[in-house]
Amino acid sequence: MPGSVYIQQAESLANAIEIAIDAFKKFPSENWNMGHVCRLIDTYSSWEKTVLNSGPRYKSVESLSYTSNRVFSFFQESSGDIVNYFWQQIKENNLPFERENKLDKILKRQKIKDQAEYDFVTGTMVPFQLDGIIEDEEVMILGRLMLAYEQEQSGLTTV
């Protein structure tokens, strides 16, 4: 039988999934058609069922972390009304989740460490700049870090 920590985390994650579903319904992207919205809702609903009804073998905090990463991925890496609404609802419902500023970590480290981080930077840099999450100076720094990563991957070095 799962412990109280698991049950508490599972319930919190299920609540966050409900908020995500609500956000998808209220703020669908202009680029999404109803099929996209329905697929997202179906996917998140299946994750919620898994969190709340998984077999004993999968009722672990580690297992929850995998689902949690999937649930929050979109809301960590995107911007706009849907994302703002989601994080506002998380806060208002006193759920134990916070938006992680991965760009801030990369800027502090002054290095893009892998392809996943590179992809994250290329996908979020402009929307984050437009939303005022990062400043123009930080965009320039990220551009230099991207160039350094590209050169490192191609075997070129900077002088």
Side-chain angles (χ1 to χ4, degrees):
M1 182 162 167
S4 63
V5 171
Y6 172 86
I7 293 169
Q8 188 176 24
Q9 287 183 8
E11 288 173 356
S12 292
L13 185 55
N15 288 333
I17 291 169
E18 284 294 323
I19 292 169
I21 291 169
D22 187 47
F24 292 136
K25 290 177 183 176
K26 288 184 177 178
F27 299 98
S29 170
E30 295 173 2
N31 302 325
W32 299 347
N33 62 37
M34 280 310 295
H36 289 112
V37 175
C38 289
R39 277 192 297 279
L40 280 167
I41 291 170
D42 288 346
T43 299
Y44 276 69
S45 294
S46 72
W47 291 339
E48 182 180 23
K49 288 175 188 165
T50 299
V51 165
L52 295 174
N53 303 312
S54 61
R57 179 174 162 189
Y58 298 102
K59 287 192 176 185
S60 69
V61 173
E62 181 181 357
S63 195
L64 279 180
S65 71
Y66 291 113
T67 304
S68 182
N69 285 337
R70 289 187 214 140
V71 169
F72 288 103
S73 179
F74 173 81
F75 298 100
Q76 292 283 12
E77 298 178 7
S78 300
S79 63
D81 291 340
I82 189 171
V83 174
N84 295 336
Y85 173 80
F86 175 81
W87 288 110
Q88 177 186 359
Q89 292 301 306
I90 292 293
K91 186 175 184 174
E92 286 179 13
N93 285 276
N94 296 315
L95 294 174
F97 307 108
E98 291 184 15
R99 187 167 192 185
E100 178 185 358
N101 188 340
K102 293 180 185 179
L103 286 182
D104 192 43
K105 289 181 178 181
I106 293 167
L107 287 164
K108 284 180 182 172
R109 186 184 333 115
Q110 290 289 300
K111 182 176 172 79
I112 295 173
K113 68 179 180 177
D114 57 28
Q115 187 65 41
E117 280 192 355
Y118 178 85
D119 293 342
F120 175 77
V121 170
T122 59
T124 60
M125 185 169 64
V126 172
F128 279 22
Q129 181 184 23
L130 293 173
D131 285 351
I133 296 170
I134 59 173
E135 306 278 329
D136 293 344
E137 182 180 324
E138 293 169 314
V139 171
M140 291 177 14
I141 294 167
L142 288 168
R144 287 195 301 268
L145 296 176
M146 289 170 56
L147 180 60
Y149 178 80
E150 291 165 0
Q151 289 174 338
E152 180 182 302
Q153 294 306 301
S154 67
L156 301 175
T157 57
T158 58
V159 177

